[in-house]
Amino acid sequence: MKKYTIVIVENDEDEQLFMKEGFDAAGLFEIKAQLRNGDELLEWLKENSTLLPELVLSDLNMPGKNGYDILDELKSNPAYAHLPIIITSTSSAQTIIDKCLKKGAAEYMVKPDTFVEYEPFVKRLHQVVTDKQLVKA
């Protein structure tokens, strides 16, 4: 099974820990970086321009540059426009999902309710990336 490289953008420290545990347990992704907001993501991408991840998983609501800002900035920059961005949030409101997809998100996934659900979340994420062929071979 293909292991994808990923950068995770999440401001909540507890959520970061639970995500990392889920990603590690699933063994389906190599986490290149865990960052706290879009500002840190843009800085990291500039500093690692030769080692870009295959995809970005970003929280929607964060201080500083949020998920909408990340979509706007990455999709308008030719150096990063090819990167699939998957937005994640606790909200399942269709208007929010539609707005993210309209702005160029490759997918929108609702965060798990509890930390024990992160490994299945990661497995679903891998299935979505594979099924939708979000990462070019």
Side-chain angles (χ1 to χ4, degrees):
M1 198 173 296
K2 168 94 169 99
K3 192 171 188 174
Y4 301 109
T5 59
I6 190 168
V7 168
I8 299 170
V9 187
E10 169 62 58
N11 65 297
D12 184 272
E13 288 182 20
D14 289 337
E15 205 82 38
Q16 284 179 358
L17 175 68
F18 299 144
M19 280 184 163
K20 181 158 181 7
E21 288 176 354
F23 275 86
D24 289 349
L28 298 169
F29 293 86
E30 177 189 341
I31 301 173
K32 292 288 190 183
Q34 278 190 281
L35 308 165
R36 291 181 301 207
N37 60 37
D39 299 302
E40 287 186 11
L41 173 64
L42 291 170
E43 186 176 317
W44 187 91
L45 289 170
K46 285 178 197 165
E47 292 171 1
N48 296 277
S49 61
T50 59
L51 301 169
L52 294 179
E54 292 174 295
L55 66 138
V56 173
L57 176 68
S58 177
D59 186 20
L60 181 60
N61 299 307
M62 300 174 284
K65 291 191 189 307
N66 62 30
Y68 295 129
D69 299 326
I70 288 170
L71 288 167
D72 289 342
E73 295 209 24
L74 267 57
K75 292 302 171 189
S76 67
N77 184 328
Y80 311 125
H82 70 283
L83 285 175
I85 303 164
I86 298 174
I87 298 294
T88 186
S89 179
T90 55
S91 175
S92 59
Q94 194 60 49
T95 54
I96 292 173
I97 295 168
D98 291 346
K99 183 176 180 180
C100 290
L101 296 175
K102 186 176 179 187
K103 285 182 168 284
E107 185 63 66
Y108 182 100
M109 295 180 68
V110 177
K111 286 181 184 177
D113 291 328
T114 65
F115 73 93
V116 296
E117 296 175 63
Y118 264 107
E119 186 177 352
F121 172 86
V122 172
K123 290 177 178 177
R124 278 194 317 278
L125 172 64
H126 189 274
Q127 194 65 52
V128 165
V129 172
T130 302
D131 290 352
K132 289 191 167 192
Q133 300 178 345
L134 297 181
V135 174
K136 306 302 177 223

